[in-house]
Amino acid sequence: MTADRHRVVVLALDGVIPFELGIPQRIFGRARTAAGDPLYEVLTCGVRGPGPVMTDADFAILVEHGPQALASADTVIVPASYELGPVYEEGRLTPELSAALAHVRPGTRMVSICTGSWVLAAAGLLDGRPATTHWADAEAFQRMFPAVRVDADVLFVDDGDVLTSAGVAAGIDLCLHLVRRDHGAAVANDVARRTVVPPHRDGGQAQYVHRPVPEPGLASTTAARAWALARLHEPIQLRDMAEQESMSVRTFTRRFREEVGVSPGQWLTGQRVERARHLLETSDLGIDQVARESGFGTAQSMRQHLQAALGVTPTAYRRTFHRSAERGGGGHLLGR
């Protein structure tokens, strides 16, 4: 490992779900510099020591590192497990798990995938913070940890040094978000292409919650979204989007939220932020022109939206992530 490569340590607990366990290696392990050098090192450890860890499938995995590896982590990721005992039942860590987490250095970035959030909450890391988990467990999670501000509608929550994801594949969304946060959209998009997943999914997990089957014949909002994406640089009114589906504004708004998980306005702003990021990274257009091309109209409006979404100004974002910028192994962190 080079001295400046970001180390991600994944904590494999008994009963770990293999899919979630493999996400960090797949996403962070594919992140490369323009020269092809790895940007992260990913290690997997157990709570006891090197050896077998049972999964929730009909096989075990063999980890080569014990909990001491957590002391060297820049980011610790806790995937979901179905065998957490007192964590689920009483909201407290086992002595073994508590001892393992004691190796984590102060300031280490802590991340959970799916119900791995229970471990972070039991450790007290989510008290007073926003967080999410699988939508099916959200109510029980809130009851067990009332100090946590649970949001069951989102795919992930970024609270700076502590991040939580919703169920299963939302772990991919969160890991791609971290790559994007650390090294920019171009690197994250390359990882997404190699993984054959979208670099950014619309909406939240509300769209996956079971609901009664809608009435037959009701149209979706797909055409309206495609229409808007082709015109991000133009003023777009809600009624214009509704007209693409021959719906009233009220019906369209309800249907859009059901399908995407956010309001049309929130979705449109998110798409414009992504467009602005792309232009800031890959073009030499002036800030005013980037603002116009991404649909914000003015540099001031774009600055406000990027500050809210990314915590940085357009100029600072370009300085960090423009294609001409020198990128070291560790990259830059963008807090919220």
Side-chain angles (χ1 to χ4, degrees):
M1 186 188 78
T2 61
D4 57 359
R5 192 180 304 170
H6 189 107
R7 174 173 280 187
V8 176
V9 178
V10 184
L11 181 59
L13 304 173
D14 285 329
V16 68
I17 302 173
F19 182 92
E20 280 92 323
L21 179 64
I23 290 172
Q25 175 61 51
R26 180 68 201 186
I27 301 301
F28 294 107
R30 296 300 184 276
R32 297 285 193 274
T33 66
D37 299 319
L39 289 166
Y40 300 89
E41 181 189 33
V42 184
L43 303 180
T44 304
C45 75
V47 295
R48 290 177 292 276
V53 175
M54 293 304 301
T55 72
D56 80 327
D58 62 342
F59 57 84
I61 61 169
L62 185 65
V63 298
E64 297 184 359
H65 306 279
Q68 295 79 11
L70 294 168
S72 66
D74 298 300
T75 295
V76 170
I77 299 182
V78 183
S81 168
Y82 286 148
E83 298 181 15
L84 292 179
V87 175
Y88 282 145
E89 297 162 8
E90 304 170 33
R92 65 174 179 85
L93 300 176
T94 63
E96 186 178 59
L97 184 51
S98 180
L101 292 175
H103 290 284
V104 179
R105 296 171 298 168
T108 300
R109 187 164 64 184
M110 301 296 294
V111 178
S112 66
I113 296 177
C114 192
T115 53
S117 55
W118 291 65
V119 174
L120 300 191
L125 298 176
L126 300 181
D127 287 354
R129 289 179 178 262
T132 193
T133 190
H134 194 292
W135 63 265
D137 295 285
E139 290 186 9
F141 184 67
Q142 184 69 89
R143 287 195 301 270
M144 183 65 72
F145 304 105
V148 180
R149 305 203 308 273
V150 180
D151 186 346
D153 291 335
V154 296
L155 292 175
F156 59 82
V157 172
D158 179 345
D159 197 37
D161 59 338
V162 179
L163 302 93
T164 52
S165 83
V168 196
I172 298 175
D173 298 290
L174 178 51
C175 289
L176 283 172
H177 167 74
L178 283 171
V179 173
R180 188 180 303 112
R181 198 178 98 168
D182 291 350
H183 299 288
V187 175
N189 290 350
D190 180 67
V191 173
R193 283 193 295 270
R194 293 175 182 273
T195 313
V196 198
V197 296
H200 177 78
R201 280 199 290 170
D202 297 334
Q205 65 173 329
Q207 60 192 303
Y208 302 105
V209 178
H210 174 71
R211 295 185 177 91
V213 177
E215 297 177 21
L218 286 180
S220 75
T221 60
T222 303
R225 295 200 297 275
W227 178 87
L229 286 174
R231 296 165 174 79
L232 286 179
H233 59 289
E234 302 176 3
I236 297 176
Q237 301 296 324
L238 181 57
R239 65 175 179 274
D240 298 329
M241 295 181 67
E243 286 175 0
Q244 306 310 308
E245 306 291 357
S246 300
M247 295 181 188
S248 68
V249 169
R250 181 176 180 180
T251 299
F252 176 80
T253 301
R254 175 175 56 80
R255 173 61 62 180
F256 194 101
R257 186 178 286 278
E258 288 174 352
E259 294 183 357
V260 182
V262 294
S263 71
Q266 290 171 319
W267 175 85
L268 191 59
T269 296
Q271 298 304 314
R272 283 175 164 156
V273 167
E274 290 304 309
R275 174 66 173 161
R277 292 174 73 162
H278 173 75
L279 292 174
L280 289 168
E281 290 185 25
T282 63
S283 78
D284 296 317
L285 298 177
I287 298 298
D288 288 334
Q289 191 170 355
V290 170
R292 290 192 296 270
E293 290 294 324
S294 55
F296 288 117
T298 67
Q300 180 180 0
S301 176
M302 182 174 70
R303 185 179 301 110
Q304 291 173 343
H305 283 96
L306 261 67
Q307 282 276 17
L310 309 177
V312 294
T313 65
T315 300
Y317 185 86
R318 167 168 275 174
R319 185 165 55 245
T320 302
F321 293 121
H322 190 266
R323 60 192 174 191
S324 64
E326 291 292 334
R327 291 194 181 118
H332 300 267
L333 295 182
L334 294 181
R336 282 182 106 71

